[in-house]
Amino acid sequence: MTDTRRRVKLYALNADRQWDDRGTGHVSSCYVERLKGTSLMVRAESDGSLLLESKIQPDTAYQKQQDTLIVWSEGDNFDLALSFQEKAGCDEIWEKICQVQGKDPSVEITQDIVEESEDERFDDISDSVQPVELPACEMGRLEDISELVNSCLVSPVRKDKLTAALESQHYIKKLLNLFHMCEDIENIEGLHHLYEIFKSIFLLNKNTLFETMFADDTIFDVVGCLEYDPSLPQPKKHREYLRELAKFREAIPIKNKDLLAKIHQTYRVQYIQDIVLPTPTVFEDNLLSTLSSFIFFNKVEIVKLIEDDEKFLTDLFKLLMDDKTPDIKRRDSVLFLKEFCNFSQNLQPQDKDAFYKTLVTLGILPALEITLSIDDQKTKTASIDILTYIVEFSPSVVRDYTLQHANNTEEEHMLLNIVIEQMLQDRDPELGGAVQLMGVLRILLDPESMLASVNKSEKADFLNFFYKHSIQTLIAPLLDNTTGEKPLKEDYHTVQLLGLVLELLSFCVEHHTYHIKTCILNKDLLRRILVLMRSTHTFLVLGALRFMRKIIALKDEYYNRYIIKGNLFAPVIDAFLRNNGRYNLLDSAILELFEFIKLEDIKSLCSHVVENYGKILEDIEYVQTFKALKTRYDQHQDKLKERERVSGSVGVTEAVVPSLLRTRYRREARAPDEEEEMWFNDDDELEDEAPLESAQPHAHPHAHTHHGLDAIGKIVEKKVCSNAETVNGPTRVLLSTATSPKPTHADVQGLVDYDGDSDEEEDGGGGGGGGGGGEERDAKRPRLS
C-alpha cells in the first residue's frame, strides 16, 4: 500500500498571486545523475507521470509553514509549494532539504533571501554579522521599537533577523501586554505606536509570525492594536463587530472542533486582510503574499474537512429539502452552502469537478428549486450565487438535470422556468438579481459550451426544450407591454427588465438561428419589439433597434421577406425622423443599420427601403448612405430591365425554367411547406387589399408599396407552376401561387412547429432542395415538420 506520509499536493503561484493546483502525487528525494544533485520528485498518483523534478539548490531559501507546507522559489517569480497529507512526511522531506544545505532541521527557513544588486549584497553581509537587537519591551520605548521594526522592512535579511528576534523573545505577546496597559490608562500615543508596529510586522510577510498572531488567545488583541490608526479621529470598533455582530450560525451543528476553529480563524483573518489592514500601496502589494497564502490553504482545508464529513452534508440537504424546515433555519443553511461554494473556488478543476458532483448527487439542484422561490431576499440572493457557481463551472450539469426532469415536472416547477420567473419578478430597483440570472441563462443557452459536452445531442435537446417550455415565459412581459402603438408601462423598473429580455433575445438571434426564427415568425415578435421604438427611454429604443440589427445581420431571406411583408422599417424610420438629425447614439445606430444593408448589398431590403421611403429620405444629405442606397437600387432596376428584355426575346419559359432548376439543386435540405410559401408569396392578394402601411401606426404618409420585382416573379411562377408536372414529375410546385387569403397574426402562430430539427441540422445538407428565394439567398432555411 502507498505510504500516505509522502502524499502531497503540488501548487504553483500564478501571475495573479493565486496558487494553482498542479496535481496530487507522492514526493521522494533522490540523487539525479542528470541534475548532478539530490532532487525533489513528485509523481502523479493517477498515472505515475512526473509532476515535479527540482534539484535542491544549496542557496535556495526553503520555508516550512503550518507543519505540512514547504514553500520555495524556483527561479525568478516562480514560487512552488508542497502541501503534505501528514506532518510526518513533511518533517521527513524537510530534514532531507536541511541535510543537503547543511542546516539544522529545527529552522523554519533554510537561507537568507539575498537581492540581486551588489550594493544590497554587501549590506546583507554586514547585517548578517550583527543580529537585530530589540529594545526592552516597555511603554517608554514604543517609539524606538516602531522605528526599528519599520527600518528592517527595506532589507530581506534584516526582515529575517527581526523575525528570528521576535520569535525567540516571544516579543509579540509582550507587545500585546503593553497594548492592554495602554488601553487601561488611555495612552493614545502609545496605542498609535503599537498600530505602526503591528502594521510593520504584517509587512514582514512571515508565516511563523502569523501563526502566533492568529492564535485564538491573541487574534483579538492584534485586531485591537490595528484599531488605533493615527490618521483617524476615532478608533474603529473591529473587535466589537467580530465578537458581537459577526455571529456564526450553525444550521447543522459542527462536531469537528478542528473544522470549527479553522472556520473561525479564516473568517477573522479574512476580515483583517480586507477591512482592518489599510489598503497596501503598489510597493507593499507583494509584501502580504504569505497572508493570502495562509487564507488560501485554510479555505482548501475547510472544504476538504466538510467533504469528508458525509453525515454533515447529508443532514444539511435534508434540512434544505424538508417542507417543515423554518425559514430562518433554511436561510442559515443556504448561507452556509454559499460560503462552502465560495471556498471551493480555491480548488483546482479536477477537485472542483469532484466537489460539484458531490453536491449534485446530494440534491443541490432540487434544493435550489425550493430556495430560489422563497420570499426571503437573503435566501434568494444566496441561492442565485450558488446557482451561478455551478453554471459557471459546468452548465451541462444543469442542462442534464433539466432534461431528465422534463417529462415528469410541470412547467412552472422546472428549474429553468423558475430561474426565468425569478429574473422577471426581481423587486430590486437596480435589478441586481435579474442581471445575475440573465447571465446564468446566457451561459446555459450558449451553443459554444454545448459543443464541448460529452452528450452530443445536448444542443438539440436543450434548445428544443427551451423553445417549447420556456420561451413563452421569457417573452411574456414583452408581449404584455406592447399590445398598443406605444409601450403600456414606462416606469424605470419595467423598462430595465425589458432591456434585459431584449439583450437575451438578441443573443438568441445571433446563436440560435432555427429555433429563434420559428419563435419570431410564430409570435410576430419583431413587430411587437419595434413598438418599443416609441419608448421615452433611449436605451430601450436602442435595445429594440439592436434586436432588428441582429436579424438583418444574418442576411436571411426569410427574415428579409418577413420584414418587407410587415413593413417593419416603418417604426425605425419614424424614430429616425423624430430624432430630427440630432447627433446622438440613436442617429448613428439607425444610420449604421442602413449602411450595413448598402455595404452587404441586401437587394430585397434595399429595394423596399428606396421604394417606400426614398422620397422621405432623399433630403438627408449630412451622410451619403441614402443616396448610395438609391444608386444601388437604380443599378438593380437596370439589371432587371435588361433581363426582362432578354427573356422577352428568347421566351420566358425557355429562359427561366433552367435557372430555377439550377437553383433547386443549390438549395438546402428542406422543402418549405405550403402554408409557409403562402405567407411569403401572396402578392396577388396584397394588391387587392389595403396597403400594409395603413395598418402601421408609425408609417410615414408618403410611404408606398411597390411590387415591381414580385410582378416579374409572378409571370415566372404561373408558367413554372403550369408546367411543374412535366418539369419534375409528381413533385410539389416550387413557387406557390395559392390564392387563399393572407394569414392574420393569429394564423401565423401555426405556421411553424417547435418540434422541428435543431440548429445543428441546419449546418449540414441532406436530401432534395426547397423552394423560393432565388440565388441571392445567403441564409439556410429551417426544416419544418
Side-chain angles (χ1 to χ4, degrees):
M1 184 174 179
T2 307
D3 187 0
T4 57
R5 290 183 307 165
R6 298 291 188 93
R7 190 170 185 265
V8 296
K9 274 188 176 295
L10 175 64
Y11 292 92
L13 197 66
N14 61 27
D16 296 327
R17 310 302 297 173
Q18 299 293 324
W19 288 100
D20 289 338
D21 188 346
R22 295 297 180 85
T24 301
H26 293 84
V27 63
S28 61
S29 59
C30 58
Y31 185 83
V32 178
E33 181 65 32
R34 178 172 54 83
L35 299 177
K36 304 296 183 184
T38 302
S39 302
L40 298 177
M41 302 181 69
V42 179
R43 293 194 175 274
E45 67 178 0
S46 58
D47 56 6
S49 60
L50 191 63
L51 300 178
L52 173 70
E53 184 179 65
S54 173
K55 181 181 177 181
I56 302 175
Q57 301 290 349
D59 56 350
T60 296
Y62 292 84
Q63 294 184 49
K64 185 181 178 186
Q65 301 178 5
Q66 299 183 23
D67 292 332
T68 57
L69 280 174
I70 297 177
V71 183
W72 74 98
S73 294
E74 190 89 4
D76 294 337
N77 300 320
F78 185 60
D79 293 351
L80 295 172
L82 291 177
S83 176
F84 288 78
Q85 181 172 331
E86 296 184 12
K87 179 180 181 298
C90 182
D91 292 341
E92 191 175 333
I93 294 299
W94 183 250
E95 289 178 5
K96 191 66 176 180
I97 293 171
C98 292
Q99 179 184 342
V100 171
Q101 294 195 343
K103 300 291 181 179
D104 186 342
S106 62
V107 300
E108 297 288 340
I109 182 170
T110 61
Q111 297 288 330
D112 293 336
I113 303 174
V114 182
E115 293 192 343
E116 293 298 322
S117 67
E118 291 297 326
D119 292 339
E120 288 192 352
R121 287 186 182 183
F122 288 117
D123 289 343
D124 292 341
I125 293 172
S126 174
D127 291 339
S128 64
V129 174
Q130 299 177 354
V132 174
E133 294 186 6
L134 291 168
C137 194
E138 300 172 354
M139 195 175 298
R141 303 294 302 275
L142 284 174
E143 184 175 0
D144 296 336
I145 297 171
S146 177
E147 290 178 357
L148 174 65
V149 174
N150 190 57
S151 68
C152 291
L153 297 178
V154 296
S155 167
V157 175
R158 286 184 63 80
K159 286 166 66 176
D160 292 338
K161 293 297 183 182
L162 175 60
T163 301
L166 292 172
E167 288 179 21
S168 62
Q169 299 180 34
H170 304 289
Y171 210 76
I172 288 177
K173 291 194 174 182
K174 294 178 182 178
L175 288 171
L176 295 177
N177 290 332
L178 284 182
F179 166 71
H180 288 295
M181 295 170 59
C182 288
E183 269 205 322
D184 290 341
I185 63 174
E186 298 183 354
N187 182 355
I188 301 300
E189 183 180 358
L191 291 170
H192 286 168
H193 288 314
L194 283 166
Y195 170 88
E196 297 292 345
I197 292 170
F198 275 93
K199 176 186 171 184
S200 298
I201 289 176
F202 270 93
L203 295 178
L204 290 175
N205 204 29
K206 300 300 181 182
N207 192 72
T208 53
L209 298 181
F210 290 154
E211 289 178 348
T212 301
M213 291 191 293
F214 299 153
D216 288 342
D217 58 340
T218 56
I219 189 168
F220 280 101
D221 293 337
V222 172
V223 172
C225 292
L226 295 174
E227 290 179 350
Y228 292 92
D229 186 346
S231 63
L232 298 176
Q234 294 293 330
K236 295 288 186 179
K237 296 183 179 180
H238 298 303
R239 285 173 293 175
E240 180 181 335
Y241 175 82
L242 288 174
R243 281 196 176 115
E244 299 177 12
L245 299 178
K247 296 295 184 181
F248 178 69
R249 297 183 180 180
E250 297 181 73
I252 301 292
I254 298 176
K255 297 179 181 179
N256 187 330
K257 293 184 179 180
D258 292 336
L259 171 60
L260 197 58
K262 191 68 70 175
I263 290 173
H264 287 309
Q265 184 189 60
T266 304
Y267 176 79
R268 291 162 185 166
V269 175
Q270 186 85 61
Y271 183 84
I272 290 172
Q273 184 187 47
D274 296 340
I275 307 298
V276 179
L277 287 175
T279 303
T281 65
V282 175
F283 304 103
E284 296 173 342
D285 197 21
N286 291 331
L287 296 180
L288 292 174
S289 60
T290 303
L291 181 60
S292 299
S293 299
F294 187 95
I295 296 171
F296 172 87
F297 287 111
N298 265 18
K299 289 182 176 180
V300 171
E301 187 174 351
I302 289 170
V303 173
K304 293 297 182 186
L305 288 171
I306 294 176
E307 273 190 293
D308 293 341
D309 192 342
E310 294 181 4
K311 186 178 185 305
F312 175 82
L313 287 177
T314 303
D315 292 344
L316 178 67
F317 279 95
K318 283 182 180 178
L319 191 67
L320 281 172
M321 302 287 288
D322 191 348
D323 294 336
K324 298 179 181 179
T325 301
D327 288 344
I328 295 178
K329 198 77 170 174
R330 199 189 307 271
R331 179 206 298 167
D332 292 342
S333 302
V334 173
L335 290 173
F336 176 85
L337 194 56
K338 174 199 165 184
E339 285 301 310
F340 187 34
C341 291
N342 183 29
F343 282 13
S344 75
Q345 301 308 299
N346 295 293
L347 301 175
Q348 292 306 306
Q350 61 271 28
D351 294 324
K352 200 182 291 186
D353 185 57
F355 169 80
Y356 283 117
K357 283 181 179 177
T358 301
L359 292 187
V360 171
T361 302
L362 291 170
I364 182 67
L365 295 177
L368 287 176
E369 290 178 346
I370 297 172
T371 58
L372 279 169
S373 304
I374 290 178
D375 192 19
D376 177 79
Q377 194 56 43
K378 288 185 177 181
T379 303
K380 188 172 296 186
T381 302
S383 301
I384 292 173
D385 289 338
I386 295 169
L387 181 62
T388 302
Y389 286 135
I390 297 172
V391 170
E392 286 181 347
F393 179 72
S394 179
S396 290
V397 170
V398 179
R399 295 193 198 108
D400 291 343
Y401 173 80
T402 302
L403 293 173
Q404 287 171 11
H405 295 80
N407 297 325
N408 55 12
T409 306
E410 296 179 4
E411 282 194 357
E412 62 269 20
H413 296 144
M414 293 175 178
L415 178 59
L416 194 62
N417 286 348
I418 291 173
V419 170
I420 295 173
E421 283 289 351
Q422 294 306 313
M423 182 184 100
L424 300 179
Q425 295 174 8
D426 188 8
R427 295 193 298 268
D428 180 8
E430 299 300 324
L431 292 178
V435 171
Q436 195 172 348
L437 287 173
M438 193 273 288
V440 168
L441 289 170
R442 186 166 178 154
I443 295 173
L444 291 174
L445 294 170
D446 188 358
E448 293 297 323
S449 64
M450 298 177 191
L451 295 176
S453 172
V454 177
N455 180 7
K456 298 302 180 184
S457 65
E458 182 184 51
K459 178 179 177 181
D461 294 343
F462 188 76
L463 291 182
N464 280 334
F465 171 86
F466 174 74
Y467 283 93
K468 184 175 181 180
H469 297 288
S470 302
I471 191 69
Q472 300 92 329
T473 306
L474 179 65
I475 64 176
L478 183 64
L479 298 179
D480 292 342
N481 204 40
T482 54
T483 55
E485 296 182 0
K486 296 181 178 180
L488 298 180
K489 295 181 181 179
E490 284 278 77
D491 60 282
Y492 181 76
H493 185 272
T494 299
V495 296
Q496 284 284 92
L497 184 62
L498 293 181
L500 291 178
V501 174
L502 278 178
E503 185 176 344
L504 194 57
L505 289 174
S506 298
F507 176 83
C508 293
V509 166
E510 191 173 2
H511 295 89
H512 305 164
T513 51
Y514 161 69
H515 291 87
I516 191 65
K517 186 190 299 182
T518 61
C519 178
I520 290 173
L521 296 180
N522 280 349
K523 305 291 184 183
D524 200 12
L525 190 58
L526 179 57
R527 181 188 303 279
R528 303 294 288 273
I529 287 175
L530 289 176
V531 172
L532 301 177
M533 296 290 290
R534 301 284 295 185
S535 173
T536 57
H537 298 270
T538 305
F539 79 90
L540 191 59
V541 176
L542 289 168
L545 182 66
R546 184 163 52 248
F547 180 79
M548 186 175 187
R549 176 66 175 79
K550 293 284 186 184
I551 289 176
I552 292 176
L554 298 175
K555 298 186 288 184
D556 186 326
E557 278 303 311
Y558 268 129
Y559 277 134
N560 294 344
R561 285 159 49 174
Y562 165 64
I563 291 170
I564 292 169
K565 295 295 182 183
N567 194 30
L568 298 182
F569 275 108
V572 178
I573 298 295
D574 184 50
F576 183 65
L577 296 176
R578 282 188 286 107
N579 192 56
N580 200 25
R582 287 192 294 273
Y583 186 63
N584 55 21
L585 185 57
L586 177 60
D587 187 75
S588 298
I590 294 175
L591 289 174
E592 192 278 334
L593 183 146
F594 289 108
E595 188 71 21
F596 177 83
I597 294 173
K598 181 199 75 175
L599 292 175
E600 296 297 324
D601 195 19
I602 306 177
K603 296 180 176 59
S604 57
L605 296 184
C606 176
S607 299
H608 174 72
V609 171
V610 173
E611 290 170 1
N612 288 273
Y613 308 104
K615 291 184 179 180
I616 304 170
L617 301 173
E618 64 184 3
D619 295 332
I620 296 173
E621 296 182 349
Y622 63 92
V623 290
Q624 299 301 309
T625 301
F626 300 109
K627 289 187 177 181
L629 272 177
K630 180 65 166 62
T631 303
R632 284 282 172 89
Y633 171 76
D634 292 340
Q635 293 171 352
H636 298 162
Q637 293 300 309
D638 291 341
K639 290 179 182 178
L640 286 172
K641 290 177 181 178
E642 179 64 22
R643 280 188 204 167
E644 192 176 45
R645 186 185 63 78
V646 172
S647 64
S649 63
V650 298
V652 175
T653 304
E654 198 175 300
V656 177
V657 170
S659 174
L660 288 173
L661 291 175
R662 285 196 302 273
T663 303
R664 174 173 184 167
Y665 289 105
R666 285 196 297 270
R667 295 274 166 76
E668 296 77 22
R670 184 194 65 82
D673 59 29
E674 295 180 7
E675 285 186 299
E676 190 179 352
E677 284 297 344
M678 283 166 42
W679 170 245
F680 288 121
N681 294 288
D682 56 356
D683 290 51
D684 291 335
E685 289 69 38
L686 284 176
E687 293 172 2
D688 298 331
E689 297 175 357
L692 193 56
E693 289 87 336
S694 63
Q696 300 298 320
H698 314 314
H700 195 277
H702 295 291
H704 63 281
T705 305
H706 179 75
H707 300 291
L709 292 175
D710 291 336
I712 297 173
K714 297 222 172 281
I715 299 172
V716 176
E717 288 174 18
K718 292 176 181 179
K719 291 189 175 292
V720 173
C721 292
S722 63
N723 295 308
E725 296 297 329
T726 58
V727 172
N728 202 29
T731 56
R732 185 170 62 85
V733 289
L734 296 178
L735 298 174
S736 174
T737 55
T739 57
S740 58
K742 175 187 173 183
T744 64
H745 293 168
D747 296 330
V748 178
Q749 303 290 333
L751 285 181
V752 185
D753 184 2
Y754 278 120
D755 294 329
D757 294 331
S758 69
D759 291 326
E760 289 179 312
E761 292 172 319
E762 279 189 331
D763 299 334
E775 295 182 10
E776 295 165 3
R777 175 170 298 138
D778 296 319
K780 298 181 179 179
R781 292 188 174 189
R783 179 170 300 166
L784 307 180
S785 58

